[in-house]
């Protein structure tokens, strides 16, 4: 994912001239949150290149709504949720456009390339989980959000987050133990 500089941020937002303080604040947020958000979305989506596109789109939307996003209790979670919503929209469009026989699995992970993404064994284990469990693991583990924030982000109850995390942890432990035993 490309790094941005202050010069790369457009000077206007919805016809309003952006204040330099807004630009600097958003640039700092972007630099601090970019890698965490990319890791989280990659863990859920499974494709590095797709995750990069989704996160870039989410950050563009965050900039367009920066006064609102800035006040959000968990702006990183806002970006991740926006990226995941964009992924759902993309998948729905793709489902309508492509015959079912030609569908490619949307959750294949690309090779780890030293960018701080989880290793291939962990990505394979994450792909084996149901999508909601992947989302919970990504938000709770990769973004280090608490159960309440994760629940609000995903639109589910905090107890459901706890249950999904427990099931996911059990499944990941079993999957990784099997993988280790085969080595």
């Amino acid at each position: 994912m490309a790094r941005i500089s202050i010069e790369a941020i457009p000077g206007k937002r919805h016809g309003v001239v952006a204040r330099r303080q807004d630009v600097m604040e958003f640039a700092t947020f972007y630099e601090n949150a970019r890698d965490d958000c990319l890791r989280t979305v990659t863990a859920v989506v499974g494709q590095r290149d797709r995750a990069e596109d989704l996160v870039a789109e989410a950050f563009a939307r965050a900039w367009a709504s920066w006064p609102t996003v800035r006040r959000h209790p968990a702006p990183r979670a806002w970006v991740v949720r926006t990226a995941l919503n964009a992924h759902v929209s993309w998948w729905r469009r793709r489902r309508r456009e492509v015959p079912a026989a030609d569908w490619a699995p949307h959750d294949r992970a690309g090779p780890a390339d030293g960018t701080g993404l989880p290793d291939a064994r962990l990505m394979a284990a994450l792909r084996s989980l149901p999508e909601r469990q992947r989302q919970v693991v990504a938000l709770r583990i990769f973004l280090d959000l608490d159960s309440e924030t994760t629940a609000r982000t995903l639109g589910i109850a905090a107890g459901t987050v706890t249950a999904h995390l427990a099931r996911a942890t059990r499944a990941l432990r079993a999957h990784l133990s099997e993988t280790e035993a085969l080595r």
Side-chain angles (χ1 to χ4, degrees):
M1 189 166 188
R3 303 224 182 252
I4 70 167
S5 65
I6 297 302
E7 294 78 31
I9 299 175
K12 289 190 173 186
R13 187 177 57 237
H14 296 292
V16 177
V17 176
R19 295 184 340 214
R20 181 154 180 81
Q21 179 181 352
D22 287 345
V23 173
M24 296 296 290
E25 187 177 82
F26 180 79
T28 301
F29 167 69
Y30 176 83
E31 288 295 323
N32 293 333
R34 178 191 59 239
D35 294 338
D36 289 342
C37 292
L38 180 59
R39 261 192 303 277
T40 303
V41 173
T42 300
V44 174
V45 174
Q47 292 178 314
R48 167 67 188 239
D49 56 340
R50 183 78 194 118
E52 286 177 349
D53 292 343
L54 293 168
V55 170
E57 174 67 23
F59 272 110
R61 291 180 187 181
W63 170 243
S65 302
W66 184 239
T68 303
V69 175
R70 168 193 311 134
R71 290 187 307 273
H72 191 279
R76 290 176 188 219
W78 187 98
V79 169
V80 169
R81 181 75 255 167
T82 300
L84 295 177
N85 287 346
H87 179 64
V88 169
S89 297
W90 172 83
W91 189 246
R92 286 178 180 156
R93 281 191 310 275
R94 177 177 165 86
R95 188 179 63 208
R96 284 192 301 267
E97 295 170 0
V98 178
D102 294 340
W103 282 5
H106 67 287
D107 59 349
R108 284 191 189 144
D113 55 7
T115 60
L117 293 175
D119 69 23
R121 289 182 314 134
L122 180 56
M123 288 303 294
L126 285 169
R127 283 193 312 274
S128 72
L129 298 175
E131 184 172 3
R132 181 61 82 185
Q133 288 181 15
R134 282 195 317 257
Q135 292 172 344
V136 168
V137 167
L139 292 171
R140 288 282 287 128
I141 306 302
F142 294 129
L143 280 187
D144 196 28
L145 298 179
D146 61 31
S147 292
E148 290 294 326
T149 305
T150 300
R152 279 193 311 274
T153 300
L154 296 175
I156 59 178
T160 306
V161 168
T162 303
H164 280 307
L165 186 60
R167 288 183 197 123
T169 303
R170 194 174 324 115
L172 288 171
R173 189 176 294 124
H175 184 86
L176 293 172
S177 296
E178 289 171 10
T179 305
E180 192 62 33
L182 294 175
R183 292 180 116 195

